[in-house]
Amino acid sequence: MKKTIIITGGAGFIGSHVVRLFVKKYPDYNIVNLDALTYAGNLENLKDIQDAPNYTFVKADIVDAERMDEIFKEYKPDGVIHLAAESHVDRSISDPLAFVRTNVIGTVNLLNSAKALWKDNYDGKLFYHVSTDEVYGTLGETGLFEETTPYDPNSPYSASKASSDHFVRAYGETYGMPYVITNCSNNYGSFQFPEKLIPLFINNIVNNKNLPVYGDGKYTRDWLYVVDHARAIDLVFHEGKLTDTYNIGGFNEWQNIDLIKVLCKIMDKKLGREEGSSAELITYVKDRPGHDLRYAIDANKINKELGWAPSVTFEEGLEKTIDWYLANEEWLESVTSGNYAKYYEEMYEGR
Ligand code: NAD
Ligand code: TYD
């Protein structure tokens, strides 16, 4: 069936994987990538599909309500997959309002544009909101986040994502907007901006720079290979239950320091360095304020209802990821030129 889908944030890390999957898998769909190309968005991420006949790129800021209305009127999407966001917790601590603008106001703008276009006739329409497990706050040593876990966000990032989730749900309740929300754990893989733990540390190891471990390094995250997140989004978009939410996770918890040690070991091997040399770069630094101790997802609902499960093990995914960064040093160099040095200095100097 022919469909037009607007994917927001398609030039970013996860968005580029979703755009690639949809463009390749659904030649009958028109995929419109709507992205403002902030520091995190990069059209290089989509070079391999940029000339596909079913792909269009539109540069626009979701905070601009009028522009969103124009784009929706022009392309008349049947569906929206909304990934555009400010996504880095550390940046949200320095500049919370940027997160309110894009994540909250931007999401409401998109909901309004979809509502205006669809005029309350929602047959065959879907607003898919991509969210994070961080909305649930933090876990202690035990337990898992379930879809019914109450929201309890701790960072300006997670508070803004929680707020956007609430707006999506509220548009469902109030205006009948057909929506689905997924809350996913930490992703890793190719094209991730080197501000997040794994690509930052790969880049620092390559450049023999210190590896800044926050606090005691005993914080725990549940890591999922980005391609498996994109597969889950495809599945939920086509088969998810309307007005429902699904948690997505890797069943793959790691304390930061253990993950970092594994990463260092693989990097030593790949770079032909003496075993233990990357680990010598580990430097414990001042903790992140409000640092959530542990995230872990119960992904049984999406597994049982839709048959989704991760396709690669963490060892495979991490190896593929490292190989990709080592083979794409030009990409790393291009995204770390410009303002990156300033960001790094402000975030890490004197930490
Ligand atoms: P990212 O930071 O790599 O990419 C964000 C993209 O959104 C960029 O292309 C950027 O240019 C675009 N963007 C930002 N502000 C915009 C605006 N005002 N208008 C239009 N475009 C704008 O983010 P990501 O890691 O790919 O995350 C994508 C989504 O998935 C986010 O909504 C995030 O909350 C969610 N998520 C991320 C993770 C993760 O581990 N990275 C986990 C769960 C959920
Ligand atoms: P991050 O990749 O920023 O994801 P999130 O905070 O959204 O989970 O961080 C993952 C974990 O790694 C988190 O516990 C913070 C920690 N971390 C460091 O120890 N040092 C760093 O330089 C960064 C960026 C993160």
Side-chain angles (χ1 to χ4, degrees), residues 8-16 33-42 45 60-64 68 82-88 98 101-103 106 129-134 157 161 182-188 191-193 195-196 223-224 226 229 233 248:
T8 71
F13 164 49
I14 302 170
S16 63
N33 173 10
L34 190 171
D35 197 296
L37 299 182
T38 68
Y39 78 93
N42 189 348
N45 299 3
D61 187 336
I62 60 170
V63 178
D64 182 344
M68 289 308 106
H82 175 36
L83 296 107
E86 288 292 338
S87 67
H88 189 38
R101 280 192 288 270
T102 288
N103 299 0
H129 181 58
V130 176
S131 192
T132 167
D133 61 354
E134 304 193 23
Y157 165 63
K161 290 296 291 188
T182 48
N183 297 88
C184 188
S185 66
N186 287 61
N187 284 217
Y188 69 97
F191 301 110
Q192 187 170 30
F193 192 79
E195 63 187 353
K196 309 278 166 52
W223 294 92
L224 178 69
V226 63
H229 188 186
I233 289 174
I248 306 170

Side-chain angles (χ1 to χ4, degrees), residues 106-308:
T107 300
V108 176
N109 285 341
L110 292 169
L111 286 164
N112 284 338
S113 298
K115 183 176 174 297
L117 175 72
W118 296 338
K119 294 197 172 61
D120 302 327
N121 177 4
Y122 293 125
D123 267 4
K125 307 292 190 277
L126 178 63
F127 192 101
Y128 183 149
H129 181 58
V130 176
S131 192
T132 167
D133 61 354
E134 304 193 23
V135 297
Y136 299 123
T138 188
L139 291 163
E141 304 282 326
T142 58
L144 297 171
F145 292 137
E146 293 173 10
E147 284 80 0
T148 51
T149 303
Y151 278 30
D152 191 18
N154 291 315
S155 72
Y157 165 63
S158 54
S160 68
K161 290 296 291 188
S163 170
S164 63
D165 293 12
H166 289 321
F167 270 105
V168 174
R169 197 172 281 117
Y171 270 61
E173 288 294 321
T174 309
Y175 308 112
M177 173 70 68
Y179 74 88
V180 66
I181 300 173
T182 48
N183 297 88
C184 188
S185 66
N186 287 61
N187 284 217
Y188 69 97
S190 54
F191 301 110
Q192 187 170 30
F193 192 79
E195 63 187 353
K196 309 278 166 52
L197 182 72
I198 290 180
L200 182 89
F201 278 31
I202 293 174
N203 189 40
N204 282 14
I205 292 171
V206 168
N207 293 301
N208 266 310
K209 277 172 75 173
N210 284 345
L211 305 177
V213 178
Y214 296 165
D216 61 5
K218 292 196 173 149
Y219 296 89
T220 299
R221 298 291 183 264
D222 173 357
W223 294 92
L224 178 69
Y225 190 50
V226 63
V227 170
D228 282 327
H229 188 186
R231 285 176 51 246
I233 289 174
D234 177 20
L235 195 62
V236 172
F237 182 80
H238 290 98
E239 292 175 34
K241 231 168 71 202
L242 288 186
T243 70
D244 217 344
T245 74
Y246 297 86
N247 282 351
I248 306 170
F251 298 102
N252 179 42
E253 285 184 54
W254 285 81
Q255 274 195 353
N256 292 342
I257 192 63
D258 295 335
L259 187 159
I260 291 160
K261 284 181 181 160
V262 171
L263 183 71
C264 286
K265 213 165 155 183
I266 307 176
M267 289 294 286
D268 285 343
K269 231 188 249 155
K270 299 269 181 201
L271 295 170
R273 293 184 185 167
E274 199 183 319
E275 193 173 336
S277 55
S278 298
E280 279 172 22
L281 298 169
I282 291 173
T283 311
Y284 289 91
V285 300
K286 198 164 134 223
D287 210 347
R288 172 188 280 174
H291 199 166
D292 285 332
L293 177 68
R294 177 171 164 259
Y295 304 144
I297 281 273
D298 179 348
N300 275 309
K301 177 175 168 182
I302 187 170
N303 176 260
K304 289 213 175 85
E305 289 187 14
L306 304 180
W308 175 87

